[in-house]
Amino acid sequence: MLLKRLAVFTAIASCLSLAERAIPLLPPWFKPGLANCVTLYLAARGEYRLAFLVTVARGFAAALVFGGLFSPAHIFSLAGGLASVLVCIALCRFLSGCLSFYGVSVASAIMHAAAQLCMAALLFLSREAVLGIAPFMFAASVLTGLLSAAVARRIYIQAE
Amino acid sequence: MSSLRSRFTFGDGAVIALALALILALFTSGGQGRRRLEIRTPDGRWQYALPADRVLTFAGSAGPFIAAINAYTITITETHCPDGSCARMGPLSRPGGSIICIPQKIELVILAQDADMEADSVCY
């Protein structure tokens, strides 16, 4: 049963992830993060293991589709995805009484960007470059986090 | 099942306020003094004092890479990377700002010139 649900949610998340790559004229560091709606929805339902597995699986699915398995882009995506899903699960598990979808989603998106920046600094970027791009990535994360939260909340309310 | 609130809460406001404070701190932490442009390629590093007015050409991993400096603003005018995303990042002018072209393995960074900072190499 878990495998079936994993396949379904991974397929949905992968489709969303691939669809947002078709959006033209976005800076390379800006992704709307539509696939995070799936992770947030699952974490909000308390399906933490599934949320984690879907995040990892969709990272590999996207990398396989674009032929970039274990490329820098894949490593960034995996690092960001793991950081964001772990924060999302932790907040849903321990702070669900005082946070809504919006707070959890923004915190996850910020952690996603922070993990990607840390990975970039470890792999090949200088400290100046990371600090230079960080405020733009964090600002984008707040916006995309709010957007993902609105979508995930809507799906959650409809589904429940 | 988690009992995540569906309406916006005070906690959400605190998370967003913290995020905005972090962004503001990072925006204001850029250097205010004289600036240098540093270009890092697989062949080495070059630094240029700003303001300057010149066109630079480098051999990237995927072909020529041309950047134009106009006063404090650096713009990528030609690159041969697959999708040209480094050129789409727009002009670079803020201290700490950078343009990174991963396919070309070229990084452009504007450094704030601290009085005690030793340059690896300087080209004029």
Side-chain angles (χ1 to χ4, degrees):
Chain A
M1 190 62 186
L2 175 72
L3 201 60
K4 215 182 261 183
R5 289 171 60 75
L6 174 62
V8 170
F9 283 108
T10 302
I12 295 170
S14 299
C15 286
L16 290 171
S17 184
L18 298 180
E20 72 183 18
R21 286 177 192 242
I23 300 172
L25 302 175
L26 291 179
W29 44 265
F30 183 87
K31 295 263 187 317
L34 296 173
N36 292 330
C37 300
V38 177
T39 307
L40 186 57
Y41 169 73
L42 291 171
R45 285 174 56 91
E47 299 188 70
Y48 305 127
R49 194 163 58 146
L50 191 56
F52 181 83
L53 292 173
V54 165
T55 304
V56 175
R58 82 167 154 87
F60 276 93
L64 283 169
V65 168
F66 287 96
L69 200 62
F70 300 115
S71 67
H74 181 214
I75 292 169
F76 289 171
S77 160
L78 210 55
L82 285 175
S84 76
V85 74
L86 290 175
V87 166
C88 184
I89 289 170
L91 292 178
C92 285
R93 182 116 170 78
F94 301 111
L95 287 175
S96 59
C98 57
L99 288 177
S100 78
F101 284 85
Y102 297 100
V104 173
S105 181
V106 169
S108 304
I110 290 278
M111 280 310 294
H112 189 280
Q116 289 194 324
L117 287 169
C118 288
M119 200 49 76
L122 279 175
L123 288 179
F124 43 63
L125 291 193
S126 63
R127 179 179 163 273
E128 293 90 355
V130 168
L131 288 177
I133 202 167
F136 298 101
M137 283 187 70
F138 288 146
S141 298
V142 172
L143 293 177
T144 56
L146 291 172
L147 175 72
S148 299
V151 174
R153 176 180 172 270
R154 179 98 185 163
I155 296 168
Y156 182 83
I157 290 169
Q158 292 287 326
E160 299 304 308
Chain B
M1 180 174 291
S2 123
S3 56
L4 206 58
R5 302 283 184 92
S6 64
R7 288 190 180 278
F8 196 87
T9 66
F10 179 78
D12 296 333
V15 169
I16 293 169
L18 275 175
L20 294 178
L22 173 68
I23 293 163
L24 193 65
L26 287 167
F27 260 120
T28 53
S29 66
Q32 301 298 318
R34 290 162 57 203
R35 300 173 206 171
R36 290 171 293 142
L37 168 67
E38 181 165 295
I39 301 184
R40 298 158 188 172
T41 75
D43 297 329
R45 295 178 174 209
W46 292 268
Q47 292 191 0
Y48 300 89
L50 298 178
D53 207 358
R54 60 196 304 169
V55 175
L56 307 167
T57 304
F58 292 90
S61 299
F65 181 92
I66 302 175
I69 309 177
N70 183 7
Y72 288 96
T73 304
I74 293 94
T75 314
I76 308 304
T77 55
E78 188 179 329
T79 178
H80 290 262
C81 51
D83 61 358
S85 54
C86 52
R88 287 210 313 272
M89 287 188 75
L92 177 68
S93 58
R94 207 172 64 85
S98 64
I99 293 178
I100 300 117
C101 184
I102 292 174
Q104 292 272 53
K105 295 185 180 154
I106 290 180
E107 183 183 352
L108 285 74
V109 186
I110 295 188
L111 305 172
Q113 187 150 355
D114 298 327
D116 58 349
M117 190 180 281
E118 285 291 326
D120 295 335
S121 63
V122 181
C123 306
Y124 293 98

